[in-house]
mmCIF file of all heavy atoms in Angstrom:
data_model
loop_
_atom_site.group_PDB
_atom_site.id
_atom_site.type_symbol
_atom_site.label_atom_id
_atom_site.label_comp_id
_atom_site.label_asym_id
_atom_site.label_seq_id
_atom_site.Cartn_x
_atom_site.Cartn_y
_atom_site.Cartn_z
ATOM 1 N N ILE A 16 20.363 0.268 31.292
ATOM 2 C CA ILE A 16 18.985 0.107 31.741
ATOM 3 C C ILE A 16 18.040 0.574 30.632
ATOM 4 O O ILE A 16 18.247 1.628 30.027
ATOM 5 C CB ILE A 16 18.718 0.925 33.023
ATOM 6 C CG1 ILE A 16 19.512 0.353 34.193
ATOM 7 C CG2 ILE A 16 17.228 0.945 33.351
ATOM 8 C CD1 ILE A 16 19.374 1.152 35.475
ATOM 9 N N PHE A 17 17.008 -0.209 30.346
ATOM 10 C CA PHE A 17 16.025 0.154 29.335
ATOM 11 C C PHE A 17 14.756 0.634 30.029
ATOM 12 O O PHE A 17 14.184 -0.070 30.858
ATOM 13 C CB PHE A 17 15.757 -1.030 28.406
ATOM 14 C CG PHE A 17 16.927 -1.337 27.526
ATOM 15 C CD1 PHE A 17 17.950 -2.167 27.976
ATOM 16 C CD2 PHE A 17 17.034 -0.760 26.270
ATOM 17 C CE1 PHE A 17 19.058 -2.428 27.179
ATOM 18 C CE2 PHE A 17 18.139 -1.020 25.468
ATOM 19 C CZ PHE A 17 19.156 -1.847 25.921
ATOM 20 N N LEU A 18 14.340 1.843 29.667
ATOM 21 C CA LEU A 18 13.217 2.508 30.322
ATOM 22 C C LEU A 18 11.991 2.523 29.406
ATOM 23 O O LEU A 18 12.039 3.058 28.300
ATOM 24 C CB LEU A 18 13.622 3.945 30.679
ATOM 25 C CG LEU A 18 12.583 4.823 31.365
ATOM 26 C CD1 LEU A 18 12.210 4.237 32.734
ATOM 27 C CD2 LEU A 18 13.114 6.253 31.522
ATOM 28 N N PHE A 19 10.902 1.930 29.886
ATOM 29 C CA PHE A 19 9.677 1.797 29.086
ATOM 30 C C PHE A 19 8.534 2.619 29.687
ATOM 31 O O PHE A 19 8.510 2.860 30.903
ATOM 32 C CB PHE A 19 9.253 0.330 29.029
ATOM 33 C CG PHE A 19 10.206 -0.562 28.285
ATOM 34 C CD1 PHE A 19 11.273 -1.176 28.939
ATOM 35 C CD2 PHE A 19 10.052 -0.790 26.926
ATOM 36 C CE1 PHE A 19 12.168 -1.995 28.261
ATOM 37 C CE2 PHE A 19 10.927 -1.611 26.232
ATOM 38 C CZ PHE A 19 11.992 -2.211 26.896
ATOM 39 N N PRO A 20 7.565 3.017 28.862
ATOM 40 C CA PRO A 20 6.378 3.694 29.404
ATOM 41 C C PRO A 20 5.588 2.727 30.269
ATOM 42 O O PRO A 20 5.468 1.549 29.942
ATOM 43 C CB PRO A 20 5.573 4.072 28.156
ATOM 44 C CG PRO A 20 6.518 3.936 27.006
ATOM 45 C CD PRO A 20 7.504 2.885 27.395
ATOM 46 N N SER A 21 5.057 3.236 31.352
ATOM 47 C CA SER A 21 4.276 2.380 32.239
ATOM 48 C C SER A 21 2.844 2.250 31.731
ATOM 49 O O SER A 21 2.354 3.078 30.966
ATOM 50 C CB SER A 21 4.267 2.939 33.662
ATOM 51 O OG SER A 21 3.627 4.201 33.693
ATOM 52 N N ASP A 22 2.183 1.190 32.177
ATOM 53 C CA ASP A 22 0.774 0.991 31.868
ATOM 54 C C ASP A 22 -0.040 2.067 32.592
ATOM 55 O O ASP A 22 0.220 2.388 33.749
ATOM 56 C CB ASP A 22 0.344 -0.407 32.344
ATOM 57 C CG ASP A 22 -1.092 -0.704 32.008
ATOM 58 O OD1 ASP A 22 -1.343 -1.155 30.890
ATOM 59 O OD2 ASP A 22 -1.960 -0.473 32.875
ATOM 60 N N TYR A 23 -1.021 2.610 31.896
ATOM 61 C CA TYR A 23 -1.809 3.713 32.468
ATOM 62 C C TYR A 23 -2.489 3.312 33.771
ATOM 63 O O TYR A 23 -2.567 4.092 34.715
ATOM 64 C CB TYR A 23 -2.850 4.184 31.451
ATOM 65 C CG TYR A 23 -3.656 5.364 31.907
ATOM 66 C CD1 TYR A 23 -3.145 6.657 31.810
ATOM 67 C CD2 TYR A 23 -4.935 5.191 32.448
ATOM 68 C CE1 TYR A 23 -3.881 7.748 32.231
ATOM 69 C CE2 TYR A 23 -5.685 6.278 32.879
ATOM 70 C CZ TYR A 23 -5.151 7.555 32.773
ATOM 71 O OH TYR A 23 -5.882 8.644 33.203
ATOM 72 N N PHE A 24 -2.979 2.069 33.837
ATOM 73 C CA PHE A 24 -3.724 1.616 35.008
ATOM 74 C C PHE A 24 -2.844 0.924 36.048
ATOM 75 O O PHE A 24 -3.269 0.683 37.171
ATOM 76 C CB PHE A 24 -4.847 0.667 34.580
ATOM 77 C CG PHE A 24 -5.850 1.309 33.660
ATOM 78 C CD1 PHE A 24 -5.842 1.039 32.308
ATOM 79 C CD2 PHE A 24 -6.782 2.201 34.163
ATOM 80 C CE1 PHE A 24 -6.753 1.638 31.458
ATOM 81 C CE2 PHE A 24 -7.708 2.810 33.321
ATOM 82 C CZ PHE A 24 -7.688 2.530 31.963
ATOM 83 N N ASN A 25 -1.619 0.587 35.664
ATOM 84 C CA ASN A 25 -0.690 -0.063 36.588
ATOM 85 C C ASN A 25 0.691 0.558 36.404
ATOM 86 O O ASN A 25 1.490 0.080 35.609
ATOM 87 C CB ASN A 25 -0.639 -1.568 36.329
ATOM 88 C CG ASN A 25 0.215 -2.291 37.358
ATOM 89 O OD1 ASN A 25 0.879 -1.669 38.197
ATOM 90 N ND2 ASN A 25 0.210 -3.614 37.313
ATOM 91 N N PRO A 26 0.996 1.627 37.125
ATOM 92 C CA PRO A 26 2.234 2.387 36.931
ATOM 93 C C PRO A 26 3.517 1.627 37.253
ATOM 94 O O PRO A 26 4.604 2.120 36.971
ATOM 95 C CB PRO A 26 2.069 3.589 37.876
ATOM 96 C CG PRO A 26 1.069 3.141 38.899
ATOM 97 C CD PRO A 26 0.139 2.236 38.171
ATOM 98 N N LYS A 27 3.389 0.420 37.811
ATOM 99 C CA LYS A 27 4.583 -0.367 38.105
ATOM 100 C C LYS A 27 4.881 -1.403 37.026
ATOM 101 O O LYS A 27 5.851 -2.150 37.118
ATOM 102 C CB LYS A 27 4.430 -1.062 39.466
ATOM 103 C CG LYS A 27 4.395 -0.094 40.644
ATOM 104 C CD LYS A 27 4.339 -0.841 41.969
ATOM 105 C CE LYS A 27 4.342 0.138 43.142
ATOM 106 N NZ LYS A 27 4.309 -0.575 44.448
ATOM 107 N N LYS A 28 4.027 -1.413 35.992
ATOM 108 C CA LYS A 28 4.170 -2.396 34.913
ATOM 109 C C LYS A 28 4.300 -1.674 33.578
ATOM 110 O O LYS A 28 3.727 -0.601 33.377
ATOM 111 C CB LYS A 28 2.930 -3.309 34.898
ATOM 112 C CG LYS A 28 2.955 -4.401 33.845
ATOM 113 C CD LYS A 28 1.664 -5.216 33.916
ATOM 114 C CE LYS A 28 1.628 -6.292 32.852
ATOM 115 N NZ LYS A 28 0.361 -7.070 32.892
ATOM 116 N N ALA A 29 5.070 -2.247 32.649
ATOM 117 C CA ALA A 29 5.253 -1.631 31.337
ATOM 118 C C ALA A 29 3.962 -1.685 30.527
ATOM 119 O O ALA A 29 3.132 -2.595 30.699
ATOM 120 C CB ALA A 29 6.371 -2.328 30.573
ATOM 121 N N ASP A 30 3.793 -0.711 29.644
ATOM 122 C CA ASP A 30 2.662 -0.700 28.726
ATOM 123 C C ASP A 30 2.646 -2.019 27.935
ATOM 124 O O ASP A 30 3.692 -2.531 27.545
ATOM 125 C CB ASP A 30 2.808 0.493 27.767
ATOM 126 C CG ASP A 30 1.591 0.693 26.892
ATOM 127 O OD1 ASP A 30 1.408 -0.107 25.958
ATOM 128 O OD2 ASP A 30 0.837 1.649 27.132
ATOM 129 N N THR A 31 1.462 -2.529 27.688
ATOM 130 C CA THR A 31 1.339 -3.835 27.030
ATOM 131 C C THR A 31 2.019 -3.879 25.657
ATOM 132 O O THR A 31 2.469 -4.936 25.223
ATOM 133 C CB THR A 31 -0.143 -4.215 26.857
ATOM 134 O OG1 THR A 31 -0.830 -3.158 26.178
ATOM 135 C CG2 THR A 31 -0.805 -4.450 28.205
ATOM 136 N N ALA A 32 2.125 -2.739 24.992
ATOM 137 C CA ALA A 32 2.753 -2.693 23.664
ATOM 138 C C ALA A 32 4.231 -3.050 23.719
ATOM 139 O O ALA A 32 4.819 -3.423 22.699
ATOM 140 C CB ALA A 32 2.574 -1.313 23.043
ATOM 141 N N TYR A 33 4.828 -2.956 24.913
ATOM 142 C CA TYR A 33 6.275 -3.182 25.038
ATOM 143 C C TYR A 33 6.637 -4.399 25.886
ATOM 144 O O TYR A 33 7.811 -4.640 26.158
ATOM 145 C CB TYR A 33 6.941 -1.923 25.626
ATOM 146 C CG TYR A 33 6.854 -0.744 24.713
ATOM 147 C CD1 TYR A 33 5.841 0.190 24.858
ATOM 148 C CD2 TYR A 33 7.757 -0.570 23.669
ATOM 149 C CE1 TYR A 33 5.733 1.277 24.003
ATOM 150 C CE2 TYR A 33 7.668 0.505 22.807
ATOM 151 C CZ TYR A 33 6.659 1.424 22.974
ATOM 152 O OH TYR A 33 6.555 2.480 22.112
ATOM 153 N N LEU A 34 5.645 -5.186 26.295
ATOM 154 C CA LEU A 34 5.920 -6.312 27.189
ATOM 155 C C LEU A 34 6.876 -7.337 26.579
ATOM 156 O O LEU A 34 7.717 -7.913 27.280
ATOM 157 C CB LEU A 34 4.611 -6.994 27.594
ATOM 158 C CG LEU A 34 3.712 -6.187 28.543
ATOM 159 C CD1 LEU A 34 2.433 -6.959 28.849
ATOM 160 C CD2 LEU A 34 4.464 -5.861 29.843
ATOM 161 N N GLU A 35 6.764 -7.569 25.269
ATOM 162 C CA GLU A 35 7.654 -8.550 24.627
ATOM 163 C C GLU A 35 9.100 -8.054 24.651
ATOM 164 O O GLU A 35 10.018 -8.834 24.936
ATOM 165 C CB GLU A 35 7.216 -8.812 23.192
ATOM 166 C CG GLU A 35 7.997 -9.948 22.531
ATOM 167 C CD GLU A 35 7.524 -10.255 21.118
ATOM 168 O OE1 GLU A 35 6.710 -9.483 20.572
ATOM 169 O OE2 GLU A 35 7.976 -11.270 20.554
ATOM 170 N N GLN A 36 9.301 -6.775 24.388
ATOM 171 C CA GLN A 36 10.650 -6.224 24.446
ATOM 172 C C GLN A 36 11.201 -6.267 25.867
ATOM 173 O O GLN A 36 12.374 -6.575 26.078
ATOM 174 C CB GLN A 36 10.665 -4.785 23.926
ATOM 175 C CG GLN A 36 10.473 -4.660 22.433
ATOM 176 C CD GLN A 36 10.613 -3.232 21.944
ATOM 177 O OE1 GLN A 36 11.562 -2.537 22.305
ATOM 178 N NE2 GLN A 36 9.680 -2.783 21.126
ATOM 179 N N VAL A 37 10.352 -5.952 26.833
ATOM 180 C CA VAL A 37 10.768 -6.006 28.242
ATOM 181 C C VAL A 37 11.248 -7.412 28.604
ATOM 182 O O VAL A 37 12.318 -7.594 29.198
ATOM 183 C CB VAL A 37 9.608 -5.586 29.173
ATOM 184 C CG1 VAL A 37 9.960 -5.891 30.632
ATOM 185 C CG2 VAL A 37 9.303 -4.108 29.007
ATOM 186 N N ALA A 38 10.469 -8.419 28.233
ATOM 187 C CA ALA A 38 10.814 -9.808 28.556
ATOM 188 C C ALA A 38 12.132 -10.212 27.904
ATOM 189 O O ALA A 38 12.979 -10.852 28.543
ATOM 190 C CB ALA A 38 9.697 -10.741 28.111
ATOM 191 N N CYS A 39 12.315 -9.825 26.655
ATOM 192 C CA CYS A 39 13.551 -10.180 25.945
ATOM 193 C C CYS A 39 14.763 -9.507 26.581
ATOM 194 O O CYS A 39 15.831 -10.122 26.717
ATOM 195 C CB CYS A 39 13.447 -9.797 24.478
ATOM 196 S SG CYS A 39 12.364 -10.866 23.523
ATOM 197 N N MET A 40 14.610 -8.248 26.934
ATOM 198 C CA MET A 40 15.711 -7.528 27.577
ATOM 199 C C MET A 40 16.080 -8.157 28.909
ATOM 200 O O MET A 40 17.259 -8.353 29.230
ATOM 201 C CB MET A 40 15.329 -6.054 27.780
ATOM 202 C CG MET A 40 15.252 -5.232 26.500
ATOM 203 S SD MET A 40 16.876 -5.079 25.706
ATOM 204 C CE MET A 40 16.455 -4.054 24.293
#
């Protein structure tokens, strides 16, 4: 499982800086 920092305003979504990595994973 890959664990990413959440978005400050949306704690259920990954920080925008990591969205591409999230999608690829």
Side-chain angles (χ1 to χ4, degrees):
I16 293 176
F17 290 86
L18 180 63
F19 294 89
S21 63
D22 182 85
Y23 183 81
F24 299 104
N25 185 353
K27 293 184 179 181
K28 181 181 178 181
D30 187 286
T31 54
Y33 294 96
L34 290 179
E35 187 178 9
Q36 289 185 47
V37 170
C39 287
M40 290 295 181

